[in-house]
Amino acid sequence: MTRRQFADLLAWAAAQLDAKPTQPIYAGLLIDAGDDTVTIGAASHGGGARATLPADVMEPGRIVVPGRMAAQVVGAYRSELIELATAQEQVELAAGRDLFRLSLLPAGDYPAVADQPDPDGTVDGSELAEAVRQAVSATDPKVNDLQVWRSGIQLTAGGDRLTVWATDRYRMAERTIAWTPARDQEPVGALVVGRSLVDAVLGLEGAISLSLAGKTVGIGDRVRYSTLDRLDEAGRQDPHRFIPAQFTTEAVAPAADLISTVKRACLVAGDGKPKILLGFGSDDISVRAAGDDTGAVAMDYVDGRHIDGPSLQIAFQPGPLLDALTVAGTDEVRIGLTGPTKPALVHAVGDDTDYQHLVMPVRL
C-alpha cells in the first residue's frame, strides 16, 4: 500500500478515538490484514470507525497499535511504500530507510466495530462536509451531562432535503442540502456530537450513505464508515421559533470586509465582556467597540447595501458574530433585524446555499 493512503486513513481513524480513553485498549487502532485488503478500525465510547483499502498482503493477521502514535509515525515517513511486520509483541513499520517499532495492544480485547447497515439515503460528500462545518460553529462542546444537546448537530432527512442544524441555546446555524432517499419513508433524524461528526465526514468523497433510523447513526463512503451514538435531546427548545416572518431592517454586507473590520474593533474591546456595536440605516454599516477597562475606542465603516427599514444599532459578543460570518462561505451576507434586543439572522447570499445563522444580541 502507499504511505499516503495509509497515513490518511490512520489519521482519520485516530481522530475518532476518545480524547481521554478510560481503558488503554480504546487508545488503539485495529489493523486487520486480509487476503488483498487492509481494514483499519477505531472504537470509542461514542461510536466507531472503519476504513478498508487494497493492499499486497503477504501474511494475513490482526493487530492493535497505539492509534495516535502510529498515525504520527506513518505521517512523518518520507518513502511512499510502507511495510508492516510483527515480532515479539511489537509492530515494525518500515518505509525506505525509516524504521519504527511500536508496542502492540491485545487484539483479543478490542471492541467490535459495527457493520454498515442499509442506508436511509445519500448526500454529496462535499456538500455535507460544508454543512457540518457551518453547523458546528453553533455548538458548545464544553457542556455538562444535563445539556449534552448543546454540543450536538441535528440531521433531519425529509423529502429530497437533508437539514443540518445546531444550537447552543444562544445561537443557531442551519443549512439544507440535496438528499436522495433510499426508499419511501417518513422524515427521519438524529442528534449526534458535533465534533465527532466533523471528524467522521473528513475525507469522505462522492455519494455519502447515511443511516439515521437506527440506535446509532452511520455515515460513510466506499472506503470509510463511522458510527455515532445519538445524543439526548431532552431540554432542547426549537430555536426556529425566534426567526421572524419578516424583518424591520435588512442590509447586505461584504463578508470579508465585515469580518476584518470586526476583528480590528476587537483589539480595543477589552478582555472582560467585549461588545461590538453595529449600526444600520444607510449603505455605510458602522462598527464600533470600546474598552471598558482601557478607555480605548474604535470606529469604522463597511461599504454595504441598505435594503430596507429604519436606522438600528445592535450589539453582539465578537465570538458568535465572527463565527456566523466566517462560515458563511459566500462573498456577501444578508443581515435581518427586528430590534436591538431581538436575535439577528445572518444569511449567505448565493444561489447554491441557504445557510442561515441566528445570533443573539447583548444589551448595551
Side-chain angles (χ1 to χ4, degrees):
M1 76 189 81
T2 66
R3 180 195 64 84
R4 176 48 51 197
Q5 288 176 312
F6 193 46
D8 287 346
L9 294 184
L10 278 177
W12 172 79
Q16 300 185 64
L17 295 172
D18 292 331
K20 297 181 180 180
T22 57
Q23 301 175 38
I25 196 66
Y26 281 101
L29 290 178
L30 173 68
I31 301 178
D32 191 351
D35 293 334
D36 54 5
T37 63
V38 168
T39 298
I40 301 170
S44 71
H45 288 93
R50 184 182 69 249
T52 302
L53 69 161
D56 293 328
V57 179
M58 291 175 282
E59 183 178 348
R62 191 171 184 265
I63 60 174
V64 176
V65 299
R68 290 187 172 85
M69 183 180 295
Q72 291 173 351
V73 166
V74 175
Y77 274 151
R78 293 168 291 181
S79 174
E80 278 303 310
L81 185 65
I82 186 169
E83 297 180 359
L84 278 76
T86 59
Q88 297 180 349
E89 302 301 319
Q90 287 187 322
V91 60
E92 186 176 279
L93 302 170
R97 292 183 295 179
D98 293 326
L99 178 64
F100 282 85
R101 291 189 179 95
L102 304 179
S103 296
L104 294 174
L105 298 171
D109 297 340
Y110 203 77
V113 179
D115 292 329
Q116 184 172 358
D118 292 334
D120 294 309
T122 58
V123 294
D124 179 77
S126 59
E127 289 188 351
L128 179 61
E130 184 179 23
V132 169
R133 179 183 64 86
Q134 291 170 328
V136 78
S137 67
T139 64
D140 181 2
K142 300 178 181 179
V143 295
N144 58 46
D145 293 340
L146 298 178
Q147 295 181 326
V148 292
W149 52 266
R150 294 175 59 187
S151 68
I153 292 178
Q154 178 74 38
L155 303 171
T156 302
D160 60 356
R161 306 298 291 177
L162 175 72
T163 302
V164 184
W165 66 274
T167 181
D168 66 357
R169 190 172 63 183
Y170 302 106
R171 53 187 171 173
M172 187 270 291
E174 182 179 64
R175 168 87 180 272
T176 67
I177 59 176
W179 166 260
T180 303
R183 66 193 74 85
D184 291 336
Q185 60 186 4
E186 296 294 321
V188 61
L191 179 69
V192 297
V193 176
R195 294 309 312 178
S196 297
L197 184 58
V198 170
D199 292 334
V201 302
L202 185 65
L204 297 184
E205 298 177 348
I208 306 305
S209 299
L210 278 174
S211 303
L212 302 174
K215 293 182 179 180
T216 59
V217 173
I219 177 172
D221 58 12
R222 294 183 178 181
V223 175
R224 315 179 194 210
Y225 179 74
S226 301
T227 59
L228 304 173
D229 287 349
R230 291 172 174 267
L231 289 180
D232 188 358
E233 303 174 23
R236 184 183 67 176
Q237 298 183 2
D238 187 0
H240 295 85
R241 60 193 176 95
F242 293 109
I243 300 177
Q246 60 182 14
F247 299 100
T248 302
T249 299
E250 286 189 275
V252 173
D257 288 350
L258 186 54
I259 290 170
S260 61
T261 304
V262 170
K263 287 182 176 179
R264 288 196 301 272
C266 287
L267 297 175
V268 303
D271 298 327
K273 295 182 179 180
K275 300 175 183 178
I276 298 295
L277 182 64
L278 302 184
F280 300 88
S282 69
D283 288 342
D284 292 329
I285 300 171
S286 65
V287 181
R288 290 189 290 170
D292 295 336
D293 49 352
T294 64
V297 176
M299 183 167 183
D300 204 346
Y301 292 90
V302 174
D303 294 330
R305 298 198 310 275
H306 183 72
I307 304 300
D308 193 17
S311 299
L312 191 151
Q313 294 191 39
I314 186 170
F316 300 98
Q317 291 181 336
L321 176 61
L322 287 171
D323 287 342
L325 298 171
T326 301
V327 300
T330 53
D331 293 336
E332 294 183 322
V333 292
R334 184 168 180 147
I335 302 174
L337 308 163
T338 56
T341 61
K342 301 293 184 181
L345 192 65
V346 177
H347 292 266
V349 177
D351 295 333
D352 57 352
T353 178
D354 63 355
Y355 162 77
Q356 59 181 5
H357 200 123
L358 196 69
V359 187
M360 292 292 292
V362 294
R363 294 186 180 274
L364 295 174

